[in-house]
């Protein structure tokens, strides 16, 4: 057994604790939740089921950390150094973290290594540079009566930040919040998804090892409707940063009005991927398959609505079907696997309902359309579903209108550009879009007409800590990453000094 594999087995061999106020412990109630392996349906280990009392202790620890000179008085350079140290530690433990994510979430270990762990390292690395660079301004104001003043702005931490994150990219979604929040000097209480808390708990060990003072980062595991809701409603939380479904985002925004906490939301999507007739079709066939089936389709930006120009529709669809049939489905821990199981039995059931619904509403299954069996006795209880392509679909169908969050593509043909734009924007979401063409003018014109926070031209599913990410319409509030996010983790103070 390799060293990372041995470390993962050791990690899974013990019931896990959660990390509050710099200490590892159980929930106050002692309640626990099992964490399952989606490839087998078997229990990997268990985690504390934190509730509102644990949330309260964690929020108090975070509040205290904001006043701890070891955090409050740390120089910007030294805060950056801690983030850099954390990036180093994640990198040093990359193989172990990737394997742990593959066990807990089900995703292929190569995806976990390149995307989940890779993104986490880049996030801490990128935001490590910001504490010493996010400057205020001096502002040439014109006060009444000719008063001479110096007016300047400073960016201060918002305070106690709650982060509630989903299960599709567990550790990296947590890091999307942690990195900018810590860079700006906040203290964080993080609630991972109950079915994928393990990598975040391992990350918390590395946060501890990096030397962040106690209480600066707290991880409360538990159910969303209990621990997550308690964070959203807590009167001493200054900001809540949420990634997840639009339905839960709405509840969080409502709960946040109690103390008018600052809210940022990254929500769902049903993204159009658009093929023009002059596109490089070989490239389109490969990339459009990956755009929707990457990470078992459990990606908020999944290119799940494909619009192919009628002139090339038959050729593109034939290529997509052929490529999709070759996708190797299996356990994520097997390096040969290209698509793992979906994350849970509940998610498997949801995807199954949409497959039935698509057929009932008249869509045609070109490939896939049901569970994958025959992977061997060990995996008989796993949550495997075949990558599925629906044709003969239109905008009256629920499989076209709703986010499935599984490996299901709906394909449509188009001829008129104005009609295409109307269809592409005919969705409550606005997270992302893809455009495939060799014509730069068409590409930029179309990019300008799609209501989405990210548009990829001749590529798909790229994100970077330096580039802003977020949604139009019901895909969210605010932007994450890049310098765009820094304002959402700071309060700007305007200071007036009378010089007369
Ligand atoms: P979800 O059900 O909304 O859960 C997200 C998080 O919220 C989990 O930690 C969950 O906890 C917690 N939660 C559940 N109910 C809550 C409540 N009443 N109050 C507070 N927190 C609560 O979403 P999901 O099914 O895990 O994730 C899939 C969704 O996330 C999709 O819609 C997808 O598009 C979206 N997503 C968006 C982005 C983006 O960047 N825009 C990225 C990834 C995913 P438990 O799981 O422990 O119950
Ligand atoms: Mg799990």
């Amino acid at each position: 057994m390799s060293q990372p594999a041995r470390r993962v087995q050791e990690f899974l061999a013990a019931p896990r604790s959660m990390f509050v106020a710099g200490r590892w412990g159980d929930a106050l109630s002692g309640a626990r939740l099992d964490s399952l392996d989606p490839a087998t349906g078997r229990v990997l280990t268990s985690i504390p089921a934190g509730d509102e009392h644990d949330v309260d202790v964690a929020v108090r620890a975070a509040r205290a950390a904001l006043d701890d000179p070891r955090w409050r008085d740390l120089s910007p350079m030294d805060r950056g150094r801690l983030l850099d140290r954390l990036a180093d530690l994640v990198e040093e433990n990359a193989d172990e973290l990737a394997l742990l994510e593959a066990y807990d979430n089900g995703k292929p270990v190569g995806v976990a290594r390149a995307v989940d762990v890779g993104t986490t390292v880049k996030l801490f690395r990128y935001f490590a540079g910001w504490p010493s660079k996010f400057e205020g301004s001096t502002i040439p104001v014109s006060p009444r009566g000719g008063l001479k003043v110096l007016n300047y702005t400073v960016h201060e931490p918002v305070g106690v930040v709650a982060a509630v994150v989903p299960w599709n990219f567990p550790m990296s979604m947590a890091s999307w919040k942690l990195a900018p929040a810590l860079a700006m000097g906040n203290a964080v209480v993080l609630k991972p998804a109950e079915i994928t808390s393990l990598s975040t708990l391992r990350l918390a060990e590395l946060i501890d090892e990096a030397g962040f003072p106690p209480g600066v980062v707290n991880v409360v595991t538990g159910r969303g409707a209990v621990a997550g809701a308690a964070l959203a409603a807590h009167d001493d939380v200054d900001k809540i940063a949420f990634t997840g479904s639009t339905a839960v985002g709405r509840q969080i925004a409502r709960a946040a009005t109690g103390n008018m906490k600052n809210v940022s939301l990254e929500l769902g999507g049903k993204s159009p991927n658009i093929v023009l007739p002059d596109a490089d079709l070989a490239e389109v066939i490969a990339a459009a398959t990956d755009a929707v089936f990457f990470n078992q389709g459990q990606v908020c930006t999944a290119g799940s609505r494909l619009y192919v120009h009628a002139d090339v529709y038959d050729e593109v669809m034939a290529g997509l079907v052929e490529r999709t049939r070759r996708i190797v489905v299996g356990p994520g821990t097997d390096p040969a696997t290209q698509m793992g199981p979906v994350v849970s039995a509940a998610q498997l059931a949801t995807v199954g309902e949409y497959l039935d619904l698509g057929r009932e509403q008249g869509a045609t299954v070109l490939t896939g359309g049901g569970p994958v069996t025959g992977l061997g006795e060990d995996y008989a209880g796993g949550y495997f579903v075949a990558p599925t392509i629906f044709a003969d679909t239109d905008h009256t169908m629920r499989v076209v209108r709703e986010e499935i969050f599984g490996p299901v593509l709906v394909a449509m043909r188009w001829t008129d550009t104005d009609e295409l734009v109307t269809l592409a924007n005919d969705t409550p979401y606005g997270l992302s879009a893809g455009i495939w063409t060799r014509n730069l003018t068409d590409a930029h014109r179309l990019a300008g007409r799609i209501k989405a926070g990210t548009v990829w031209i001749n590529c798909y599913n790229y994100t970077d800590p330096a580039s802003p990410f977020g949604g139009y319409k019901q895909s969210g509030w605010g932007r994450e990453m890049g310098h765009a996010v820094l304002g959402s983790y700071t309060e700007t103070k305007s200071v007036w000094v009378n010089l007369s």
Side-chain angles (χ1 to χ4, degrees):
M1 200 185 276
S2 69
Q3 201 198 21
R6 199 171 53 245
R7 300 245 298 268
V8 168
Q9 292 311 326
E10 282 167 15
F11 188 87
L12 296 176
R16 304 317 311 176
S17 299
M18 60 189 191
F19 188 57
V20 175
R23 286 184 297 273
W24 290 91
D26 289 330
L28 292 168
S29 71
R32 300 191 72 80
L33 293 166
D34 283 337
S35 201
L36 307 184
D37 176 350
T40 62
R42 288 197 281 266
V43 175
L44 288 168
T45 181
S46 67
I47 57 169
D51 64 19
E52 62 273 24
H53 303 294
D54 302 285
V55 161
D56 201 47
V57 174
V59 170
R60 270 188 270 134
R63 180 64 60 197
L66 290 166
D67 253 335
D68 182 339
R70 287 173 293 176
W71 184 239
R72 185 191 61 203
D73 299 341
L74 206 57
S75 75
M77 279 283 193
D78 285 339
R79 220 187 304 139
R81 205 192 296 259
L82 277 178
L83 288 162
D84 241 334
R85 173 82 187 115
L86 180 56
D88 290 342
L89 287 171
V90 173
E91 214 158 32
E92 285 163 24
N93 293 279
D95 291 335
E96 178 197 340
L97 287 162
L99 189 58
L100 187 60
E101 204 74 286
Y103 271 111
D104 199 19
N105 166 281
K107 66 178 67 201
V109 64
V111 171
R113 178 69 182 78
V115 180
D116 296 77
V117 181
T119 300
T120 300
V121 172
K122 278 169 84 175
L123 278 160
F124 289 117
R125 206 59 95 205
Y126 172 80
F127 282 102
W130 269 118
S132 58
K133 296 173 193 67
F134 191 40
E135 298 168 350
S137 331
T138 58
I139 299 174
V141 292
S142 309
R144 63 180 179 275
L147 191 76
K148 278 199 185 332
V149 298
L150 166 65
N151 178 249
Y152 64 93
T153 58
V154 278
H155 302 299
E156 298 181 349
V158 171
V160 175
V161 171
V164 176
V165 298
W167 43 256
N168 58 340
F169 296 95
M171 183 176 64
S172 74
M173 286 291 116
S175 305
W176 277 35
K177 320 288 190 212
L178 281 171
L182 296 174
M184 295 296 105
N186 297 282
V188 182
V189 181
L190 173 64
K191 211 294 290 172
E194 70 194 59
I195 53 175
T196 57
S197 296
L198 300 182
S199 58
T200 304
L201 290 174
R202 181 70 185 108
L203 180 69
E205 292 181 356
L206 300 177
I207 287 169
D208 197 16
E209 189 179 336
F212 285 86
V216 171
V217 177
N218 308 273
V219 180
V220 176
T221 54
R223 293 191 191 283
V226 179
L231 278 169
H234 202 292
D235 278 343
D236 204 31
V237 169
D238 300 297
K239 174 192 167 75
I240 184 154
F242 172 75
T243 298
S245 61
T246 297
V248 173
R250 206 169 271 129
Q251 291 179 35
I252 288 200
R254 259 189 226 117
T257 59
N259 69 335
M260 298 308 280
K261 58 175 70 64
N262 172 319
V263 181
S264 56
L265 304 171
E266 292 292 350
L267 308 173
K270 185 78 178 181
S271 297
N273 200 9
I274 298 166
V275 183
L276 276 65
D278 69 331
D280 178 334
L281 297 188
E283 213 179 299
V284 164
I285 286 163
T289 318
D290 293 352
V292 64
F293 298 135
F294 164 60
N295 210 47
Q296 297 70 246
Q298 302 166 141
V299 182
C300 50
T301 53
S304 52
R305 286 187 288 144
L306 184 69
Y307 297 89
V308 187
H309 192 274
D311 290 352
V312 293
Y313 181 88
D314 291 338
E315 185 179 346
V316 169
M317 294 314 295
L320 278 179
V321 168
E322 200 264 329
R323 194 179 158 94
T324 301
R325 288 196 176 127
R326 280 193 281 120
I327 293 174
V328 179
V329 179
T333 50
D334 179 345
T337 291
Q338 293 170 327
M339 183 184 286
V342 296
V343 74
S344 64
Q347 195 65 12
L348 182 67
T350 301
V351 174
E353 282 162 24
Y354 276 109
L355 296 179
D356 292 343
L357 199 58
R359 288 190 188 91
E360 280 163 26
Q361 293 198 303
T364 306
V365 174
L366 296 186
T367 182
V372 174
T373 52
L375 293 170
E377 208 179 308
D378 270 356
Y379 304 109
Y383 315 133
F384 297 95
V385 59
T388 298
I389 301 178
F390 275 125
D392 303 319
T393 57
D394 64 56
H395 276 240
T396 64
M397 296 179 179
R398 285 181 56 195
V399 288
V400 172
R401 307 203 64 84
E402 297 174 18
E403 181 181 48
I404 300 174
F405 222 60
V408 183
L409 178 69
V410 298
M412 283 159 283
R413 108 183 50 218
W414 67 277
T415 46
D416 177 78
T417 305
D418 289 338
E419 278 169 23
L420 166 77
V421 169
T422 302
L423 288 176
N425 288 328
D426 177 27
T427 168
Y429 297 112
L431 196 56
S432 60
I435 297 169
W436 299 86
T437 175
R438 290 186 172 98
N439 183 320
L440 276 177
T441 308
D442 285 347
H444 289 296
R445 278 203 183 135
L446 208 44
R449 297 179 71 186
I450 305 290
K451 301 215 178 315
T454 298
V455 177
W456 289 291
I457 298 171
N458 295 328
C459 57
Y460 205 90
N461 267 339
Y462 284 87
T463 60
D464 191 280
S467 183
F469 179 91
Y472 283 46
K473 300 193 269 182
Q474 295 182 32
S475 287
W477 285 354
R479 290 294 178 271
E480 299 204 270
M481 305 199 290
H483 53 77
V485 77
L486 301 174
S488 94
Y489 286 100
T490 49
E491 294 283 6
T492 300
K493 183 176 282 173
S494 171
V495 182
W496 295 68
V497 187
N498 182 352
L499 301 179
S500 295

